[in-house]
């Protein structure tokens, strides 16, 4: 893998690692003044951007591989793990509200 492809893949993995944290930091967007608003646009954007960045990182990493080395294996395994976490976060955006969406109770 050339250094430019390795750098691009590493940057994409790093960006995709930060996206789940950003997505979960927006969880407070679903309620305002005890009214359920549903997922915000920020939640949808970060939830969709994560798997796309991970998939792009995997494509860049795999296309540039000539042989497996330790760094490339870590990059690909990290990308696959991040992709699984991000697909789960994407599922949670579309899953029904566990509180039932009734607002602030109690």
């Amino acid at each position: 893998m050339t250094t430019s492809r390795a750098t691009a893949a590493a940057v994409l993995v790093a960006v995709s690692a930060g996206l789940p944290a950003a997505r979960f930091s927006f969880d407070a967007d679903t309620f305002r003044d005890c009214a359920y608003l549903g997922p915000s646009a920020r939640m949808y954007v970060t939830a969709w951007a994560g798997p796309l960045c991970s998939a792009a990182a995997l494509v860049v990493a795999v296309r540039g591989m000539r042989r497996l080395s330790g760094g490339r294996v870590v990059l690909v395994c990290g990308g696959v793990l991040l992709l699984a976490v991000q697909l789960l976060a994407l599922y949670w955006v579309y899953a029904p509200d566990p509180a039932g969406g009734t607002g602030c109770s109690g």
Side-chain angles (χ1 to χ4, degrees), residues 21-97:
R23 191 298 209 190
F24 290 116
S25 71
F26 300 139
D27 276 344
D29 291 354
T30 57
F31 284 96
R32 182 169 294 134
D33 297 327
C34 293
Y36 179 72
L37 303 174
S40 66
R42 297 186 305 178
M43 292 172 75
Y44 284 113
V45 169
T46 54
W48 276 103
L52 292 175
C53 279
S54 289
L58 288 172
V59 167
V60 169
V62 170
R63 287 189 70 192
M65 281 189 189
R66 290 195 179 97
R67 61 175 187 246
L68 290 178
S69 68
R72 292 182 186 115
V73 170
V74 168
L75 189 66
V76 170
C77 290
V80 169
L81 180 64
L82 280 171
L83 183 61
V85 168
Q86 290 160 346
L87 288 174
L88 191 59
L90 183 62
Y91 166 76
W92 283 332
V93 169
Y94 289 98
D97 181 36

